[in-house]
Amino acid sequence: MAALSQPQKSTYDVIVIGAGIQGSFTAYHLAQRHKDTLLLEQFLLPHSRGSSHGQSRIIRSAYPQEYYSRMMPDCFRCWQQLEAETGTTLYRQTGLVLLGPLGEPELEACRKSLGVDEVLDAARLAQRFPGFQLQAGQVAVVDSTAGVLFAGRALQAVQEVFRRHGGTLRDGEKVLRIEPGATVTVTTTAGVYKAPRLIITAGAWTGALMEQLGLRLPLQPLRIDVCYWREKQPGSAGLGSVSPCFLTLGLSQAPHGIYGLPSIEYPGLMKVCHHHGSPTDPEKRDQAPSSAPRPDIAVLSSFISSYLPGLETQPAVMETCLYTNTPDEDFILDRHPKFSNIVIGAGFSGHGFKLAPVVGKLLCELSLGEEPSYNMAHFAITRFPGVL
């Protein structure tokens, strides 16, 4: 365990709270800049309590928002660099099929961000990717750069490189109190630490920590059902491990979007999830009774019967994950309005994992007082009124 293997020390250049993928990449960039960095995690690692666990996440170039698509080449480069640094495979290229109504604005924006002209109708999609069945008036756009990130492996890899560069990772330490000032004091269940800079990337627990610091951020933790669906005939319908990921945009029966990944985690089971969930308290997320209604499962079952007829319509395996959403589903990457040496990364809204290399770089730059590498207007705290 990280907490037991390193000597106790109390003063650092930077403290990062939260060792999910965002905090770990932030610490990674700081350590590469030769900053003496402490990365704190409340749970013993590895764990499945937050938003960075599990085996797979989609990585894609296609984004309707230009400010995300512009970051993706940098992200792909950094993921490849991390693979080289650790000698570990972190990515499998599968392609991504974007499904939606013809002329749907977000689908068109994705097509433009990819720089592709080709739009597939139902017949051409079924020919190219058997197993997908479009409805009348719907089309598909293909992102050939996309694929699957091996999430748990990626998190371990970035933490390994962080420690290799002299970083300190202490797990099993819950933050109890943050005292702002020219030097910030962080008290945990196991010690007291001081640093002139603090970065908070605590996922669904960020809101509670920020209230200690006089900020009421509009962050809503959601409990997400992560579902795996069995092929009716093993190896049929082209839905095996070489099939593409997919993402829906603008479908009336799935207003929040549905996404899917090929059967990499569980052979013969495809991962298909609703990009939405039920509000939850992160401390109580696993206390929901099994009999509680799960409307997202009904949405998914209906979608699968229409679009993926080669799959059974009831999930074979169900797991859970946490999203922490902002009202506009854009990230919060900013300094505290009153304490400029405290930086916040939050509200990744279920689409932050792939962007973590750049998010970590931006949080590192903000903390060090440097000009950020990208325009930060969309990520400012001040876009939400009344947070102080």
Side-chain angles (χ1 to χ4, degrees):
M1 288 189 312
L4 298 180
S5 63
Q6 293 166 334
Q8 184 80 3
K9 177 183 146 177
S10 62
T11 306
Y12 294 87
D13 294 335
V14 194
I15 298 170
V16 180
I17 298 174
I21 196 67
Q22 311 296 348
S24 295
F25 257 117
T26 302
Y28 162 98
H29 284 290
L30 288 162
Q32 290 197 323
R33 306 282 285 278
H34 308 292
K35 300 299 174 189
D36 187 11
T37 305
L38 171 64
L39 177 58
L40 289 170
E41 171 53 49
Q42 64 174 322
F43 300 115
L44 292 174
L45 292 167
H47 69 82
S48 58
R49 311 290 305 158
S51 307
S52 296
H53 64 283
Q55 295 183 52
S56 62
R57 297 290 188 282
I58 294 174
I59 182 168
R60 55 188 162 113
S61 298
Y63 251 106
Q65 302 91 343
E66 195 183 357
Y67 44 95
Y68 292 124
S69 62
R70 211 176 276 158
M71 294 175 180
M72 285 313 302
D74 203 355
C75 289
F76 274 104
R77 273 194 301 274
C78 195
W79 284 115
Q80 287 163 359
Q81 181 185 332
L82 186 61
E83 284 188 318
E85 284 177 298
T86 57
T88 309
T89 301
L90 303 177
Y91 162 71
R92 179 181 296 174
Q93 188 171 356
T94 64
L96 169 77
V97 177
L98 298 145
L99 309 171
L102 180 63
E104 204 282 327
E106 287 200 327
L107 187 62
E108 273 298 291
C110 284
R111 187 183 64 75
K112 285 176 182 162
S113 80
L114 290 169
V116 301
D117 296 323
E118 187 180 32
V119 175
L120 304 178
D121 61 15
R124 286 165 69 206
L125 178 66
Q127 187 178 11
R128 188 156 162 193
F129 300 113
F132 289 100
Q133 188 169 283
L134 284 178
Q135 310 302 301
Q138 295 173 355
V139 294
V141 171
V142 178
D143 176 353
S144 59
T145 68
V148 176
L149 284 171
F150 302 127
R153 198 187 291 178
L155 183 62
Q156 287 182 307
V158 72
Q159 290 170 355
E160 177 192 321
V161 176
F162 163 65
R163 293 167 73 179
R164 207 188 286 167
H165 281 82
T168 302
L169 171 55
R170 299 188 63 83
D171 61 352
E173 292 199 30
K174 186 176 176 67
V175 171
L176 303 175
R177 192 166 63 255
I178 299 168
E179 297 163 60
T183 298
V184 183
T185 303
V186 177
T187 303
T188 75
T189 47
V192 179
Y193 308 99
K194 294 177 183 287
R197 302 176 187 90
L198 173 68
I199 302 171
I200 299 172
T201 52
W205 289 265
T206 302
L209 288 175
M210 297 322 301
E211 288 195 10
Q212 286 187 34
L213 298 170
L215 270 191
R216 195 177 289 274
L217 295 178
L219 297 172
Q220 178 60 69
L222 297 175
R223 181 180 184 275
I224 306 298
D225 290 319
V226 180
C227 302
Y228 299 82
W229 311 74
R230 194 178 306 281
E231 293 178 0
K232 289 176 179 172
Q233 294 180 312
S236 69
L239 295 172
S241 60
V242 293
S243 72
C245 302
F246 76 85
L247 182 66
T248 73
L249 294 166
L251 294 187
S252 56
Q253 60 268 63
H256 298 283
I258 290 172
Y259 65 92
L261 295 89
S263 56
I264 288 172
E265 295 172 54
Y266 300 104
L269 302 185
M270 190 171 184
K271 181 176 179 177
V272 182
C273 308
H274 194 201
H275 192 62
H276 193 58
S278 48
T280 191
D281 175 343
E283 296 289 353
K284 300 174 182 172
R285 86 170 217 206
D286 292 327
Q287 295 174 20
S290 58
S291 60
R294 298 178 110 148
D296 294 326
I297 305 299
V299 170
L300 290 168
S301 294
S302 171
F303 172 83
I304 282 169
S305 64
S306 298
Y307 289 83
L308 298 165
L311 298 180
E312 301 283 358
T313 56
Q314 289 302 312
V317 176
M318 285 178 55
E319 298 169 356
T320 60
C321 187
L322 289 178
Y323 285 4
T324 306
N325 281 31
T326 61
D328 57 14
E329 297 190 7
D330 281 329
F331 311 157
I332 292 171
L333 310 173
D334 205 352
R335 296 184 184 91
H336 190 294
K338 284 177 73 173
F339 310 115
S340 61
N341 61 340
I342 298 178
V343 168
I344 302 140
F348 295 101
S349 305
H351 66 107
F353 199 101
K354 71 186 84 61
L355 286 147
V358 165
V359 166
K361 180 165 77 167
L362 291 169
L363 294 174
C364 169
E365 290 166 345
L366 284 173
S367 182
L368 299 179
E370 298 173 357
E371 184 67 28
S373 299
Y374 294 86
N375 182 349
M376 302 297 280
H378 294 280
F379 311 122
I381 288 173
T382 49
R383 73 186 193 269
F384 303 115
V387 293
L388 269 174

